[in-house]
Amino acid sequence: MNRPPVTDWTADFDHLDPTFVADPYPIYEQLRTDCPIAHTDRYHGVWIPTRYEDLAAIAHDHHHFSSRTILVTDRPESPHDLGFHAPPITEDPPYHTDIRRLLLPVFSPKVVADYEPITRAMANDLIDGFITDGGCDAATDFAQHVPIKVITRMLGIPDSDHAQFRDWIHRLIEESPIAGDATFEAIFEIGGYLAGHVDQHRTSPRDDIITHLLEARMPDGRPLTDEEILGVCILLLLAGIDTTWSAIGSSLLHLATNPDDRRRLRDEPDLINSATEEFLRVFAPVTMAREVIEDTEVGGCPMRKGDRLLLPFPSGNRDPEIFDRPDNVVLDREANRHFAFGVGIHRCLGSNLARMELRVALQTWLERIPEFTLTDPDAVTWSAGQVRGPRTLPFAFTAG
Amino acid sequence: MRVVVDAERCQGHNRCHALAPVLFDIDDLGYATAAPGSVPADLEAAARLAEANCPEHAITIDP
C-alpha cells in the first residue's frame, strides 16, 4: 500500500504516516494550535479534533456521535455493516446501557483487587524467565504478557495461544486502516477460536467471565445470544491486551531513559499511584473513533451524517489549556483529569483492571530490576493505528 | 465540608474512591456515592484531590 507522505498535517492528516507513528505529539501540538478540528480526505474522510474540551464534548454526545464506527479503515462501510459487533464498545444506547450493566460487576474495584496478588505472581514469573540473562525485550518478554495472562485467566481460556492473539490484534487494531479484508477476516477467526471455548463452558461452567456471560440475563430476561457472547469476548481479549501492553511498555521506556524518575519512584514507592496516572496521561495508548449519525457542528465545523471522526485522547491529555507542563512526566502531579480511558458512557470497562496491571507491573519490575537501560534507542519500534505503544524495547540490566 | 457526587455524571472511573476511600462508596457496578456525613478535617485535602481528579466533573465540594 503506497500512501503519499503527509506534507500538510492540518489538511491531509494520516495516523499511519511513519512520521506520525514515530512521534505524534509535535503534530498534535501543531493541530491544537493551528487547526483544532482538522479534516483529512484519507480513509474516506475523517475529522480529527485535538483539543481536550472538544474531545470531551464529542465523547459525551452519543446522540450525534455513534460508536458503530470505532475503527477508521480503508473500507467505505462502517465496521458494523461488515459484521463487527463487540458490545458494549461498538454499540449505542439503549442497548449499550443494558449489556454494559452485565459486564460492570466483572471489572469492579473489588474484583480487580482480588486479581492483584495473581497479577504480581505472574509478573514475577515473567521476570524469573529473563533476569539471569542481564537483558530482555521488555515489550515482548514482559509488557505484552502481563495483560495476556490476566485477561485469559479472567475469561477462562488458555494463555498459551498468545502468538495468535498478537497476530489478530496486529491485523485488527494496528493494521486495520490499510489491511482491507484481512481486518475482518481476523474478526471471524477470533470468533471461531472463541466459539469452541464458549461451547466447553456451556457443558462445564466455571468461575470465569465466559460462564458469567452464559448465565447473564438482559433486563427483559433473555440470555445473551452466541453472537453477543462472542462479541463481548472479542472485545475483552483485544481491548484488554494491546492497550495495557502499550502503557506498561511506554512507562518502562520512560523509566529506562529518565534515571531521575526511575530513582525517585524507587526511593519514594508511595508515588506509584500518582505516577501511574501520570504515565496514563502522557502515554495514553488509545485513540477512539465515532461516526456522525445526525448533522451537527463542532467548533464551527459542520459535520454531516456518515462522517467519521478520530478521537485522539492522547492529544487531549497534552492540551496546555488543561495541563500544566503537558509534555513533562510529573510523577506527583496532583490534579490529573486525564482521559486515557475516555469519558462518558463508554469509559473503558476495564480501567480499574488496567490501572492495577500497570501499577503492579511497574512495582514488580522496580523491585526486581531497580537499574536498567535502553541498549539501542534506534531499535525501539512503535505500533501504528489506534493503539500506540512500543513493540521492541531492548533493555540491559545486571543479571540477578 | 461535604462532598457531593452527581449520579448523572458519574461513569465509574473510581478515581475518587482510590484517592479518598473513606469519603466515597462504590457500588457493585463501580458507581460512586458520597459517604454520609461531613468530611473530617484531616480528609479535606483528600476530598479536594478527588474533586480535581474526576474526569467527569461529577464531584462538587460544599464548603
Side-chain angles (χ1 to χ4, degrees):
Chain A
M1 172 77 63
N2 285 318
R3 284 163 298 119
V6 174
T7 54
D8 178 359
W9 287 97
T10 63
D12 191 32
F13 181 90
D14 188 334
H15 60 305
L16 262 85
D17 187 277
T19 305
F20 181 85
V21 171
D23 187 6
Y25 303 111
I27 294 166
Y28 282 140
E29 185 180 1
Q30 184 204 346
L31 292 181
R32 282 193 305 266
T33 306
D34 297 343
C35 186
I37 299 176
H39 186 274
T40 180
D41 290 333
R42 299 187 188 215
Y43 310 110
H44 306 282
V46 185
W47 295 98
I48 308 103
T50 45
R51 286 185 181 167
Y52 185 100
E53 296 293 357
D54 288 333
L55 288 162
I58 292 164
H60 279 117
D61 182 2
H62 53 84
H63 298 290
H64 291 100
F65 301 99
S66 165
S67 288
R68 65 196 307 278
T69 296
I70 56 158
L71 291 170
V72 165
T73 77
D74 60 359
R75 298 279 300 242
E77 307 93 335
S78 155
H80 248 206
D81 299 330
L82 294 164
F84 180 45
H85 290 266
I89 200 171
T90 54
E91 310 303 316
D92 297 319
Y95 174 64
H96 164 271
T97 314
D98 293 341
I99 198 156
R100 183 177 165 94
R101 282 183 72 87
L102 298 183
L103 283 159
L104 285 169
V106 178
F107 294 101
S108 73
K110 187 180 170 303
V111 172
V112 168
D114 290 343
Y115 272 89
E116 180 163 341
I118 299 168
T119 307
R120 200 172 296 278
M122 289 169 171
N124 270 307
D125 283 349
L126 289 166
I127 293 170
D128 286 343
F130 53 70
I131 194 165
T132 55
D133 300 339
C136 72
D137 183 330
T140 54
D141 297 335
F142 182 69
Q144 172 185 199
H145 294 288
V146 174
I148 287 179
K149 283 176 175 291
V150 175
I151 198 66
T152 51
R153 171 106 168 224
M154 290 181 82
L155 272 169
I157 61 176
D159 70 3
S160 50
D161 298 316
H162 58 84
Q164 182 64 71
F165 302 156
R166 190 177 167 179
D167 171 63
W168 286 328
I169 287 167
H170 181 68
R171 283 154 65 194
L172 186 59
I173 303 179
E174 299 175 357
E175 286 282 308
S176 59
I178 53 168
D181 291 342
T183 298
F184 296 96
E185 284 163 15
I187 292 167
F188 296 116
E189 285 175 33
I190 304 165
Y193 168 87
L194 288 167
H197 288 290
V198 173
D199 282 343
Q200 286 173 17
H201 281 72
R202 221 183 288 273
T203 48
S204 58
R206 295 163 226 172
D207 181 17
D208 57 30
I209 292 177
I210 291 180
T211 300
H212 173 81
L213 293 170
L214 285 165
E215 293 173 352
R217 295 293 179 268
M218 291 291 270
D220 64 1
R222 75 167 175 87
L224 298 179
T225 65
D226 289 359
E227 289 72 23
E228 287 173 320
I229 291 173
L230 289 177
V232 170
C233 290
I234 288 172
L235 168 64
L236 301 186
L237 189 60
L238 298 185
I241 293 174
D242 206 26
T243 51
T244 312
W245 171 15
S246 297
I248 295 171
S250 294
S251 305
L252 285 175
L253 175 58
H254 175 82
L255 293 172
T257 51
N258 291 272
D260 290 349
D261 278 351
R262 183 170 70 239
R263 286 175 200 132
R264 188 173 179 208
L265 199 49
R266 218 175 47 213
D267 296 343
E268 301 174 57
D270 289 349
L271 283 180
I272 191 67
N273 289 316
S274 62
T276 299
E277 296 306 315
E278 181 67 344
F279 291 139
L280 286 166
R281 182 188 70 81
V282 178
F283 305 122
V286 179
T287 290
M288 281 308 300
R290 293 286 189 271
E291 180 180 322
V292 178
I293 48 172
E294 191 183 314
D295 291 1
T296 185
E297 186 185 300
V298 180
C301 295
M303 299 191 182
R304 300 284 170 243
K305 186 172 187 295
D307 287 359
R308 299 164 173 192
L309 302 89
L310 281 169
L311 296 189
F313 294 121
S315 175
N317 278 356
R318 293 188 184 218
D319 188 337
E321 293 289 318
I322 304 295
F323 299 100
D324 181 39
R325 291 178 289 161
D327 292 318
N328 292 11
V329 171
V330 181
L331 295 179
D332 56 357
R333 190 182 288 274
E334 290 209 327
N336 201 346
R337 277 193 182 100
H338 70 80
F339 41 34
F341 298 110
V343 282
I345 61 167
H346 288 280
R347 185 271 303 171
C348 171
L349 196 55
S351 62
N352 294 306
L353 179 66
R355 285 189 157 100
M356 183 277 285
E357 290 177 348
L358 174 58
R359 174 174 53 80
V360 168
L362 297 178
Q363 284 175 320
T364 310
W365 181 286
L366 286 169
E367 282 162 19
R368 301 284 305 276
I369 307 174
E371 277 298 307
F372 52 103
T373 54
L374 177 67
T375 57
D376 178 8
D378 294 333
V380 175
T381 59
W382 294 89
S383 62
Q386 288 179 232
V387 176
R388 181 174 202 266
R391 294 295 175 262
T392 316
L393 286 176
F395 281 10
F397 41 80
T398 307
Chain B
M1 177 193 280
R2 300 175 81 88
V3 287
V4 181
V5 177
D6 182 342
E8 292 290 307
R9 285 178 174 251
C10 176
Q11 294 292 349
H13 291 259
N14 198 36
R15 294 290 297 129
C16 55
H17 181 71
L19 289 162
V22 175
L23 302 179
F24 299 92
D25 297 326
I26 301 290
D27 68 16
D28 288 344
L29 299 182
Y31 295 111
T33 47
S38 56
V39 175
D42 61 337
L43 291 180
E44 288 185 358
R48 288 195 194 91
L49 210 50
E51 187 271 337
N53 279 276
C54 177
E56 306 290 349
H57 295 262
I59 296 169
T60 44
I61 289 181
D62 193 359

